[in-house]
Amino acid sequence: MIHEIRIYHCVPGRLSALHERFRNHTLAFWDKHGIRQVGFWTTLIGESNHALTYLLQWDSLAEREQKWNAFQADTDWIKARAASEAVQPIVARIENQILTPTDYSALR
């Protein structure tokens, strides 16, 4: 089991648009492609409150590559993402890390 942590740094004032896109579009596409989320968080105290952090769970890097690539190539997702940013971009930059648990981790 591996986990992927992704941090979306939003254009100021656009975090609510990102929440809306996840609620109304992204999660349904993830369900369609078998992508499993562990959770989503916003920053209460930290460098910026314009960020959305989420954690995904994968059985392997191969599973991640297959499912993430299928999601990214989904033409309906591409249209939904483009429509959500038709007026203004939402995300300024994305941080991404693939994590593997230690032998003493409670979450494996």
Side-chain angles (χ1 to χ4, degrees), residues 3 6 12 22 26 42 47-48:
H3 291 87
R6 298 178 65 88
F22 270 98
T26 308
T42 55
E47 184 177 322
S48 169

Side-chain angles (χ1 to χ4, degrees), residues 13-55:
R14 297 290 284 160
L15 183 58
S16 62
L18 185 60
H19 288 308
E20 183 179 319
R21 184 166 73 191
F22 270 98
R23 274 189 210 103
N24 299 329
H25 303 287
T26 308
L27 294 179
F29 285 104
W30 285 4
D31 286 344
K32 174 182 175 181
H33 293 284
I35 296 172
R36 299 179 312 273
Q37 59 119 327
V38 176
F40 286 84
W41 299 266
T42 55
T43 303
L44 181 61
I45 299 173
E47 184 177 322
S48 169
N49 64 352
H50 299 289
L52 177 68
T53 301
Y54 64 88
L55 192 64

Side-chain angles (χ1 to χ4, degrees), residues 1-2 33-36 57-69:
M1 183 76 53
I2 59 174
H33 293 284
I35 296 172
R36 299 179 312 273
Q57 180 176 312
W58 305 104
D59 291 330
S60 66
L61 284 174
E63 178 199 24
R64 189 248 180 222
E65 182 177 350
Q66 184 269 321
K67 290 181 177 180
W68 192 258
N69 290 345

Side-chain angles (χ1 to χ4, degrees), residues 63-98:
E63 178 199 24
R64 189 248 180 222
E65 182 177 350
Q66 184 269 321
K67 290 181 177 180
W68 192 258
N69 290 345
F71 160 64
Q72 290 290 298
D74 187 308
T75 56
D76 291 330
W77 160 244
I78 293 167
K79 290 176 190 171
R81 184 182 63 215
S84 73
E85 296 187 327
V87 174
Q88 180 184 4
I90 294 175
V91 178
R93 71 184 172 89
I94 299 171
E95 290 181 54
N96 183 44
Q97 295 179 32
I98 305 291

